[in-house]
């Protein structure tokens, strides 16, 4: 689900543990000025309205994007910009073969059609950056005389990062499986692993054919305005057992940013509380990472946004 954002600013991580009970609202300090009571009421309504179809428990519903990092890539600003934009160039032949067809869930296995390495690479490669005058076509290999990067299959791609003008170099490809958060818990999903010269770990592109992917269900009820002092969760940045890192959408002048969580054995609802500025403020939406701690590991429970009621996904889609 697209969310409006005029400017995305990623500040330092704000950590706040929130104890919770299986009965519903998270336990812990209650501050009327941050709308905790209003959050609890709204979260209970969102949880009650959550009614996914049968595919949620029987099909393949990924809650992560199809491009997955297999470890710490050791990004530089330039390589991270290339990764986010999907800029790649292959130095090896990408095979058109298909292998394997099984996903391993915590509760069983599922056989689904897969795509070849060549098709996975076509999905991965989103074009090339604009040429940079005087920059080498490959790192460490100067090429005098101006632009040197060739246009990719999708033509030149634009970027607001002026120094990012080199694609990532694919030097090998292999078939494997990677852990992916799904509606049925963390599954081992077939993937094509692309070795990247500029990164410390491979980039995985999930190999499940798009036609076999069940989309995340839409909320049962339309989003309603949040009470003043509450803000929505934009996405799920990370899951580590019972610890969730969520990015909240807050105003540029908001203060007192506090993560809020409400949980039941079958669902978790997240959002945040803020203190609004009293004077004039620029209309800018920031993404503020916050951390909450659940009463128990997340497992296969969906994490729902308190504003839209939609399940939150992890990573670029």
């Amino acid at each position: 689900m697209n969310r409006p954002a005029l400017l995305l600013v990623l500040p330092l991580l704000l950590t706040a543990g929130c104890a919770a009970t299986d009965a519903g609202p998270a336990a812990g300090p209650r501050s009327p000025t941050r709308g905790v009571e209003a959050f609890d009421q709204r979260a209970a309504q969102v949880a009650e309205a959550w009614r996914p179809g049968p595919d949620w428990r029987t099909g393949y519903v990924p809650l992560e994007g199809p491009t997955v990092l297999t470890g710490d890539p050791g990004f530089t600003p330039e390589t991270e910009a290339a990764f986010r934009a999907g800029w790649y160039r292959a130095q090896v032949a990408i095979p058109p073969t298909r292998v394997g067809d099984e996903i391993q869930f915590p509760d069983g296995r599922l056989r689904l059609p897969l795509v070849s390495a060549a098709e996975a690479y076509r999905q991965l490669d989103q074009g090339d950056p604009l040429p940079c005058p005087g920059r080498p076509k490959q790192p460490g290999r100067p090429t005098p005389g101006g632009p040197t990067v060739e246009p990719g299959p999708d033509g030149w791609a634009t970027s607001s990062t002026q120094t990012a003008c080199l694609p990532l170099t694919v030097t090998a490809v292999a078939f494997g499986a990677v852990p992916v958060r799904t509606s049925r818990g963390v599954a081992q999903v077939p993937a094509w692993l692309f070795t990247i010269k500029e990164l410390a770990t491979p980039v995985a592109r999930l190999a499940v054919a798009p036609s076999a992917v069940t989309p995340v269900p839409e909320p049962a009820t339309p989003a309603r305005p949040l009470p003043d002092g509450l803000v929505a969760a934009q996405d799920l940045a990370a899951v580590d057992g019972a610890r969730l890192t969520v990015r909240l959408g807050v105003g540029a002048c908001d203060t007192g940013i506090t993560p809020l969580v409400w949980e039941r054995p079958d669902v978790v609802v997240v959002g945040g509380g803020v203190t609004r500025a009293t004077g004039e403020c620029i209309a800018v939406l920031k993404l503020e990472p916050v951390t909450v701690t659940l009463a128990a590991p997340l497992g296969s429970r969906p994490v729902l946004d308190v504003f839209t009621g939609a399940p939150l996904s992890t990573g670029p889609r």
Side-chain angles (χ1 to χ4, degrees):
M1 178 170 298
N2 293 329
R3 302 171 188 272
L6 300 179
L7 177 65
L8 303 184
V9 180
L10 303 182
L12 295 176
L13 183 66
L14 173 65
T15 303
C18 296
T21 67
D22 288 343
R30 289 291 186 261
S31 171
T33 61
R34 290 175 180 168
V36 176
E37 293 82 359
F39 172 82
D40 289 344
Q41 294 175 4
R42 178 66 169 260
Q45 295 169 357
V46 165
E48 193 61 30
W50 174 246
R51 294 289 186 273
D55 286 343
W56 186 260
R57 293 300 177 198
T58 61
Y60 172 56
V61 187
L63 299 177
E64 295 189 39
T67 302
V68 179
L69 289 169
T70 59
D72 183 355
F75 278 139
T76 65
E78 193 165 67
T79 58
E80 182 172 11
F83 172 78
R84 300 296 177 193
W87 299 333
Y88 294 89
R89 63 186 300 271
Q91 286 190 334
V92 294
I94 309 295
T97 55
R98 291 176 172 84
V99 294
D101 60 358
E102 192 171 80
I103 298 176
Q104 176 65 61
F105 294 97
D107 60 357
R109 298 174 181 269
L110 182 64
R111 300 176 72 88
L112 293 174
L114 304 185
V115 299
S116 68
E119 177 59 28
Y121 181 71
R122 282 193 290 271
Q123 297 171 0
L124 184 70
D125 184 15
Q126 297 299 304
D128 293 317
L130 289 170
C132 295
R135 293 297 300 271
K137 188 172 183 178
Q138 299 178 39
R141 188 175 300 178
T143 302
T148 56
V149 180
E150 299 297 328
D154 303 304
W156 301 116
T158 60
S159 170
S160 59
T161 306
Q162 298 300 318
T163 59
C165 55
L166 295 177
L168 300 175
T169 308
V170 176
T171 58
V173 59
F175 185 75
V178 294
V180 175
R181 185 171 164 263
T182 76
S183 62
R184 297 165 63 178
V186 177
Q188 291 294 321
V189 179
W192 290 103
L193 307 177
F194 295 95
T195 300
I196 305 298
K197 179 180 179 180
E198 296 84 5
L199 302 182
T201 57
V203 172
R205 181 73 185 190
L206 302 184
V208 178
S211 60
V213 176
T214 300
V216 175
E218 293 292 327
T221 57
R224 294 179 291 107
L226 284 174
D228 186 49
L230 293 184
V231 294
Q234 302 295 305
D235 60 19
L236 188 60
V239 177
D240 183 10
R243 289 171 58 84
L244 311 180
T245 300
V246 178
R247 295 196 298 178
L248 304 176
V250 303
C253 302
D254 289 348
T255 59
I257 300 167
T258 304
L260 299 172
V261 60
W262 191 100
E263 65 176 309
R264 292 191 322 203
D266 61 329
V267 68
V268 173
V269 182
V270 293
V274 299
T275 300
R276 302 294 189 185
T278 56
E280 294 185 0
C281 183
I282 186 173
V284 168
L285 180 73
K286 298 192 304 181
L287 294 188
E288 179 79 14
V290 295
T291 299
V292 298
T293 302
L294 306 176
L298 179 64
S300 61
R301 291 182 291 175
V303 180
L304 308 180
D305 167 36
V306 73
F307 173 47
T308 63
L312 299 179
S313 297
T314 307
R317 302 197 68 81

